[in-house]
Amino acid sequence: MIIVMRAGATQTQIENIVTRIEKDGFTAHLSDGSERTVIGVIGDDRPMDRRTYEIMDGVEKSVQVLQPFKLVSRDFQEHDSIVRVNGVEFGSIGVGIIAGPCSVEDRTQMLETAHAVKEAGAQALRGGAFKPRSSPYSFQGLGEKGLQILAEAREQTGLPVVTEIMTPEQLPLVTQYTDVLQIGARNMQNYELLKTVGRSIHPVLLKRGMMATLEELLMSAEYILAEGNRNVILCERGIRTFETYTRNTTDINAVPVLKSLTHLPVILDPSHGVGKWNFVTPVALAGIAAGADGLIVEVHPKPEEALSDGGQSLLPERFADLVQKARAIATTIGRE
Ligand code: PEP
Ligand code: MN
């Protein structure tokens, strides 16, 4: 249920509602709009009498939210959320581009890539230090050493860093070095991890599971918001279909559909979405045309030597070309 307060409801009236919600055994989440405050009532599904809230001072109405996701829904918050990452905004008029290698492999590779993507116009850096690989024999990432290299790349370029966290225990370590916590596709339904990052103040980039529905993605985001962290960016990264020519099938539909259901920013990962470098740029452009608030793109100076995902990584000059084209599409649809 959500409770919509009247325009001009006083602070005391809002506090009275919150006290009552908590007394009834629920949690209150406030959304302050430009005109009125909306209060989300979150808790188990015990029957409650909405009318008892509707007669309280300052309340305009109560609304039963039928979708299973509440705090991430447009019912709870109509206007777009803006997630700020060191001065870069996701969810506002700009289309933010995150770029970098799949994995941090060594200092030279990471620093070279970082400078190249910055030069090309990227606003944030990516690079995995903890890698979820299909095979236990594949490169698993450099761990803390990789995080240190990422931090050096951030210092040299001024670009904020996005990196994956794989377990709740890694939170203290990873947050020492990163600006954004990435939850990978394979961990989208790792509920303990979602709750842990929900208690952090760091922005979270939540990737869609390769076999997850949009509702499941939104329910995972709900876990994070329910713990108090509202800085969540959703990421479509391709799903499994019967098609085998490409690694995954980029679900472009997900972009406008998610934007209609949730106020959270939605970005696209064309690299994992299509899985072959020569198709990354057209898919990226389609994502922007469809309304994505950003892109996350894999770039490597020597893709043929990459320790992971070389086949879908763009050379820096190809990434620069993608940015140029992205700019043209963004401008055409009134974005920056
Ligand atoms: C990645 O970003 O390199 C990655 C492992 O992505 P995903 O979790 O979407 O497979
Ligand atoms: Mn990758």
Side-chain angles (χ1 to χ4, degrees):
M1 176 176 84
I2 57 177
I3 296 169
V4 182
M5 302 301 290
R6 284 186 213 288
T10 65
Q11 198 53 40
T12 312
Q13 288 170 336
I14 294 169
E15 278 162 20
N16 286 343
I17 302 289
V18 171
T19 308
R20 172 60 191 268
I21 289 168
E22 289 169 353
K23 190 168 145 264
D24 287 348
F26 297 93
T27 314
H29 291 259
L30 267 62
S31 165
D32 293 313
S34 53
E35 275 186 19
R36 58 192 84 226
T37 297
V38 174
I39 307 176
V41 184
I42 304 297
D44 65 27
D45 298 315
R46 273 180 300 169
M48 64 188 308
D49 190 352
R50 277 162 48 198
R51 284 168 308 179
T52 58
Y53 286 91
E54 282 185 338
I55 57 174
M56 289 179 73
D57 288 343
V59 175
E60 184 172 298
K61 61 176 175 182
S62 68
V63 182
Q64 196 65 47
V65 181
L66 296 175
Q67 285 139 335
F69 45 90
K70 318 272 181 210
L71 301 175
V72 304
S73 74
R74 286 260 182 213
D75 295 327
F76 178 59
Q77 183 184 307
E78 221 177 319
H79 64 273
D80 289 340
S81 281
I82 298 176
V83 176
R84 292 183 177 80
V85 181
N86 270 21
V88 183
E89 290 185 346
F90 290 90
S92 67
I93 190 151
V95 176
I97 303 190
I98 306 165
C102 178
S103 304
V104 183
E105 297 166 6
D106 59 56
R107 198 167 163 269
T108 313
Q109 168 247 16
M110 188 64 224
L111 295 179
E112 187 184 330
T113 313
H115 286 286
V117 300
K118 180 179 178 166
E119 177 84 359
Q123 285 133 316
L125 276 180
R126 63 150 292 148
F130 294 101
K131 295 302 301 177
R133 304 304 302 281
S134 307
S135 164
Y137 310 118
S138 300
F139 177 60
Q140 303 284 308
L142 296 181
E144 185 167 9
K145 179 81 190 120
L147 296 173
Q148 287 165 349
I149 295 171
L150 276 172
E152 191 181 349
R154 172 176 54 186
E155 211 174 289
Q156 288 195 15
T157 59
L159 296 178
V161 160
V162 180
T163 201
E164 181 157 355
I165 173 170
M166 283 176 56
T167 67
E169 295 71 34
Q170 285 169 356
L171 187 77
L173 176 68
V174 176
T175 50
Q176 269 181 53
Y177 298 98
T178 196
D179 299 285
V180 179
L181 297 164
Q182 175 175 327
I183 306 275
R186 292 156 189 80
N187 265 324
M188 188 203 85
Q189 288 179 315
N190 181 337
Y191 299 116
E192 285 310 314
L193 182 58
L194 297 174
K195 285 191 255 181
T196 303
V197 299
R199 292 189 284 265
S200 161
I201 55 163
H202 281 69
V204 177
L205 174 60
L206 177 64
K207 299 188 90 176
R208 179 184 184 180
M210 54 202 53
M211 284 161 291
T213 64
L214 296 180
E215 185 171 301
E216 286 163 342
L217 171 62
L218 291 168
M219 291 310 291
S220 291
E222 185 82 14
Y223 264 89
I224 303 171
L225 271 75
E227 292 293 332
N229 189 348
R230 294 195 184 171
N231 292 308
V232 176
I233 302 167
L234 302 175
C235 180
E236 162 61 36
R237 48 78 72 206
I239 51 173
R240 284 217 171 150
T241 66
F242 51 80
E243 181 53 63
T244 54
Y245 188 74
T246 51
R247 180 177 180 187
N248 290 297
T249 296
T250 308
D251 182 8
I252 290 286
N253 300 0
V255 175
V257 173
L258 286 170
K259 293 289 294 177
S260 76
L261 295 171
T262 179
H263 51 85
L264 297 173
V266 177
I267 71 166
L268 186 81
D269 175 348
S271 307
H272 293 85
V274 67
K276 292 185 177 177
W277 73 265
N278 46 325
F279 303 122
V280 167
T281 296
V283 173
L285 300 180
I288 296 176
D293 296 303
L295 298 174
I296 180 165
V297 181
E298 289 186 339
V299 178
H300 199 290
K302 295 190 187 102
E304 66 286 359
E305 290 175 19
L307 298 180
S308 62
D309 288 349
Q312 64 192 35
S313 297
L314 294 180
L315 284 164
E317 57 269 29
R318 291 189 172 126
F319 171 69
D321 175 64
L322 180 157
V323 175
Q324 286 301 326
K325 291 176 171 153
R327 212 170 254 139
I329 301 278
T331 310
T332 305
I333 59 167
R335 301 192 70 169
E336 290 164 9

